[in-house]
Amino acid sequence: MLPLVALVGRPNVGKSTLFNALTRTRDALVHDEPGVTRDRNYGICRLAEDRPFVLVDTGGIAGENTHLESGNLAGATARQARAGAEEADLVLFVVDGREGPSALDDDLLRWLRKAGTPTFLVVNKIDGIDARAALAEFSRYGFSDVFAVSSAHRQGIDPLLEKVLGRLPADGDAAVPDDDPERVRVAFVGRPNVGKSTLVNRILGEERMIASDVAGTTRDSIAVDLERDGRKYRLVDTAGIRRKSKVEEAVETFSIIKTLQAIEQCQVAVVMIDASEGVTDQDASVLGAVLDAGRALVVAVNKWDGLSDYQRSQVEALLSRKLAFVEWAEAVRISARHGSGLRELFRAIHRAHASAMHQFGTAEVTRALEIAYEANPPPVVRGHAAKLRFAHPGGENPPTFVVHGTRLRTLSDSYRRYLENFFRKRFKLVGTPVRFVFKEGD
Ligand code: GDP
Ligand code: GDP
């Protein structure tokens, strides 16, 4: 399970600015894909590469903060913000260093104390002001962990991050041990009601004989092993799916956090969408999360059974438009209710896994680069052109290619896309994101 950090603070103190500073990836190559809606309420901080954590902006959860503006923390929306603070491993209580403490900050402080979650005080907007004086204004809050930052200018973010990581549980249960490299770790994810539990229960029902709960997994991240068509799979994070609690209290946001965690644990994410509803913004943000995590992807278009031929043709058109940003992923039409399309679904999962985990040799990767480069060298920019010299494999899931050369900064997005498409085609990569890392020099 990824640790959870919640941002709490009144409106305008800079929570979303801090959120962006922490969740923005340093990998310049993972650019925003058009068509992906980024939900601003949650994200994964990957600034420390080997220690990702989930970040939630509870201000966002609470809607437009109306309850906060009225100074009243009661009500359903406030309950969610509070749940965020209570479930988190750590709260960052964000305040405005320019304005000093306000009545609303005092309110928030009171219920944070009640929640009892470890809390750091983050005094924001200290750019251009006397940080020490700003901190002093909040000294009566009595925090021992106090950070002066400027989210907008990324000042003080690294020391904050370091202390945050120090406080979070170390990767406690990477509970699902990687015992068998042949076993494909799959997560079924998607927004509520697309049919995840119907599908998982159907799969497990059919395979009852060989499905078994994996011992030692925690209640929350229960995994199930199964075999299908002679291949082995581990379904990760099925707990919430199989025994669905009717108490869907913390609603969306917390299933979204679970979704992020499931994506983190899997190799192949099956994103389910409901054909009768098309591709919603929420579907797109789940897809975006899979891209961010670099996981292999299969789209399962569920409830295909309920559609007329006319509706099907409309849905087909919609899918090709809305899924254009993940056109490399296979989209399989299924009916979880009737069990149709499952064989094709598992084949697609297998193909995606094979692509994602493929081990490349340096020679074939460099050869691919040479051919791509010769066929279409980068254009001359102000009298100079980037030179691509050689390449080597840089990892799997997702397949990563490290390209060495000079003036690589001048490579345009369209050239990067050309390289990606070239490599995809040459190595027949389907169902997985592909990453390039560009290294200046030889
Ligand atoms: P939120 O409502 O708490 O999410 O606050 P926002 O992140 O939307 O920020 C509110 C305003 O404060 C925006 O105009 C930001 O540009 C500004 N702001 C945020 N962080 C900083 C900072 O570090 N320094 C300064 N000077 N302004 C900031
Ligand atoms: P989850 O929230 O994603 O786990 O979704 P559920 O599995 O609980 O399904 C939500 C609703 O969609 C239920 O009423 C299901 O019976 C229905 N449903 C699930 N799969 C299908 C399907 O393939 N076809 C149709 N017509 N309905 C389905």
Side-chain angles (χ1 to χ4, degrees), residues 9-20 40 57 59-60 65 94 96 98 124-128 149-155:
R10 63 182 177 80
N12 274 319
V13 294
K15 291 182 301 302
S16 40
T17 309
L18 179 60
F19 180 89
N20 289 336
R40 292 168 70 246
D57 181 348
N65 295 307
V94 187
D96 187 327
R98 297 178 174 224
N124 189 33
K125 308 196 190 180
I126 51 95
D127 44 288
V149 305
S150 166
S151 305
H153 297 93
R154 288 196 64 84
Q155 286 169 30

Side-chain angles (χ1 to χ4, degrees), residues 373 377-389 406-412 440:
Y373 182 62
V380 174
V381 179
R382 274 178 243 103
H384 297 277
K387 281 208 172 57
L388 311 181
R389 297 194 190 280
T406 51
R407 303 186 66 81
L408 298 176
R409 271 170 195 283
T410 64
L411 287 177
S412 62
E440 192 68 21

Side-chain angles (χ1 to χ4, degrees), residues 190-199 241 244 248 272 274 302-306 334-338:
R191 61 188 175 79
N193 279 321
V194 293
K196 296 180 297 298
S197 38
T198 307
L199 179 66
I241 297 180
K244 227 172 155 182
E248 251 138 63
M272 287 184 74
D274 180 339
N302 191 31
K303 309 197 189 178
W304 203 241
D305 55 290
I334 65 165
S335 167
R337 178 172 288 170
H338 300 299

Side-chain angles (χ1 to χ4, degrees), residues 58-59 61-82 104 107-108 111:
T58 59
I61 290 169
E64 287 315 298
N65 295 307
T66 38
H67 63 289
L68 293 179
E69 260 141 27
S70 67
N72 170 15
L73 289 172
T77 47
R79 200 158 56 232
Q80 289 189 359
R82 197 174 289 153
L104 219 44
D107 276 358
L108 285 168
W111 73 259

Side-chain angles (χ1 to χ4, degrees), residues 118-321:
T119 301
F120 291 175
L121 180 70
V122 178
V123 181
N124 189 33
K125 308 196 190 180
I126 51 95
D127 44 288
I129 62 167
D130 180 355
R132 223 185 292 166
L135 290 180
E137 289 213 62
F138 289 94
S139 60
R140 68 175 163 88
Y141 281 7
F143 282 92
S144 50
D145 295 288
V146 180
F147 299 86
V149 305
S150 166
S151 305
H153 297 93
R154 288 196 64 84
Q155 286 169 30
I157 300 296
D158 287 340
L160 171 64
L161 181 67
E162 195 180 312
K163 275 286 163 54
V164 167
L165 292 172
R167 187 61 71 89
L168 293 179
D171 195 13
D173 53 277
V176 191
D178 238 335
D179 53 355
D180 185 349
E182 299 280 283
R183 204 177 272 292
V184 181
R185 288 201 306 278
V186 184
F188 291 92
V189 293
R191 61 188 175 79
N193 279 321
V194 293
K196 296 180 297 298
S197 38
T198 307
L199 179 66
V200 167
N201 286 321
R202 171 161 284 275
I203 293 168
L204 297 182
E206 283 181 3
E207 309 292 329
R208 194 168 294 136
M209 301 306 293
I210 23 187
S212 59
D213 287 358
V214 178
T217 52
T218 63
R219 213 182 119 81
D220 267 352
S221 66
I222 201 131
V224 177
D225 283 350
L226 68 110
E227 268 183 61
R228 227 190 135 92
D229 300 330
R231 292 190 174 123
K232 294 190 255 179
Y233 299 88
R234 172 164 295 173
L235 308 186
V236 298
D237 214 65
T238 55
I241 297 180
R242 288 166 72 201
R243 37 183 143 80
K244 227 172 155 182
S245 78
K246 284 295 145 205
V247 201
E248 251 138 63
E249 230 194 326
V251 221
E252 284 324 287
T253 316
F254 287 95
S255 67
I256 284 165
I257 289 162
K258 289 240 162 66
T259 302
L260 292 176
Q261 291 172 325
I263 290 170
E264 208 62 29
Q265 289 181 40
C266 76
Q267 294 164 321
V268 183
V270 177
V271 175
M272 287 184 74
I273 61 180
D274 180 339
S276 64
E277 303 206 347
V279 182
T280 67
D281 284 355
Q282 232 178 352
D283 295 327
S285 79
V286 175
L287 289 165
V290 175
L291 287 188
D292 285 349
R295 296 298 185 256
L297 168 68
V298 174
V299 180
V301 184
N302 191 31
K303 309 197 189 178
W304 203 241
D305 55 290
L307 303 181
S308 69
D309 283 349
Y310 174 68
Q311 285 170 320
R312 285 183 184 181
S313 67
Q314 286 200 312
V315 174
E316 294 287 4
L318 184 86
L319 289 177
S320 62
R321 193 158 46 83

